[in-house]
């Protein structure tokens, strides 16, 4: 999605709002939004056929970049805490646990800094399951 937006700067310049539904890489899209002097005005989660979809509405205007974990969860989603938020965070946790499980098959990987980052990330996401 970032590539599409970057590939059409003349079109993006004419817009006052963006309604985006990333299929993947939502944290990178959220980061792009803030770097390009937009901000996330609203976010929603939709469940369709067992899959959660994120919908992001961005508007022009510079705001402070959210911390990395909020770029992953969705800063407005975290504020609003919609019913599907727990399912969304659990899906993020599932992905990270799969990465950790793969790394745990290798002693070298388990000793790596990347493994420690993944384990820390799992802990942080888990802490956001309760509110």
């Amino acid at each position: 999605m970032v590539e599409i937006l970057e590939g059409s700067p003349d079109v993006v310049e004419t817009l006052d709002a963006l309604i985006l539904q990333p299929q993947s890489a939502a944290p990178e899209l959220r980061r792009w939004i803030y770097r390009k002097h937009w901000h996330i005005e609203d976010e929603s989660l939709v469940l369709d056929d067992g899959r959660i979809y994120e919908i992001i509405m961005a508007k022009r205007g510079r705001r402070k970049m959210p911390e990395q974990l909020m770029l992953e969860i969705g800063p407005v989603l975290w504020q609003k805490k919609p019913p599907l938020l727990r399912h969304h965070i659990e899906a993020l946790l599932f992905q990270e646990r799969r990465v950790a499980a793969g790394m745990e098959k290798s002693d070298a990987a388990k000793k790596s800094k990347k493994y420690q980052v993944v384990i820390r990330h799992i802990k942080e996401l888990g802490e956001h399951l309760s509110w």
Side-chain angles (χ1 to χ4, degrees), residues 7 9 17-18 21 25 30 32 44-45 49 51 57 59 72 74 76 84 102 108 113 117 119 127 129-131:
L18 300 168
Q21 194 264 303
R30 288 185 181 100
W32 181 91
S44 296
L45 296 170
D49 199 23
R51 180 170 175 188
M57 182 175 83
K59 290 203 171 180
E72 293 173 46
V76 176
L84 289 174
K113 288 183 182 182
V117 168
I119 296 302
E127 290 169 351
L129 278 174
S130 301
W131 55 83

Side-chain angles (χ1 to χ4, degrees), residues 83-120:
L84 289 174
L85 183 60
R86 182 174 311 282
H87 189 67
H88 173 57
I89 294 172
E90 286 171 348
L92 295 171
L93 267 168
F94 178 77
Q95 292 171 354
E96 285 298 292
R97 286 178 177 142
R98 278 185 26 193
V99 170
M103 295 179 85
E104 287 167 359
K105 295 176 184 176
S106 162
D107 286 336
K110 285 195 311 191
K111 294 176 184 175
S112 71
K113 288 183 182 182
K114 173 139 178 80
Y115 179 74
Q116 296 306 315
V117 168
V118 170
I119 296 302
R120 189 173 333 115

Side-chain angles (χ1 to χ4, degrees), residues 49-77:
D49 199 23
R51 180 170 175 188
I52 289 191
Y53 294 93
E54 299 174 68
I55 301 168
I56 300 169
M57 182 175 83
K59 290 203 171 180
R60 290 193 176 280
R62 189 180 289 211
R63 298 286 195 292
K64 182 181 176 192
M65 175 85 66
E67 65 182 66
Q68 176 61 32
L69 190 63
M70 285 300 115
L71 290 173
E72 293 173 46
I73 293 172
V76 176
L77 292 173

Side-chain angles (χ1 to χ4, degrees), residues 23-42:
Q23 296 294 313
S24 62
E28 290 77 10
L29 177 60
R30 288 185 181 100
R31 186 175 295 106
W32 181 91
I33 287 168
Y34 285 91
R35 283 188 178 151
K36 296 296 181 174
H37 306 251
W38 292 73
H39 66 278
I40 297 173
E41 183 76 16
D42 200 8

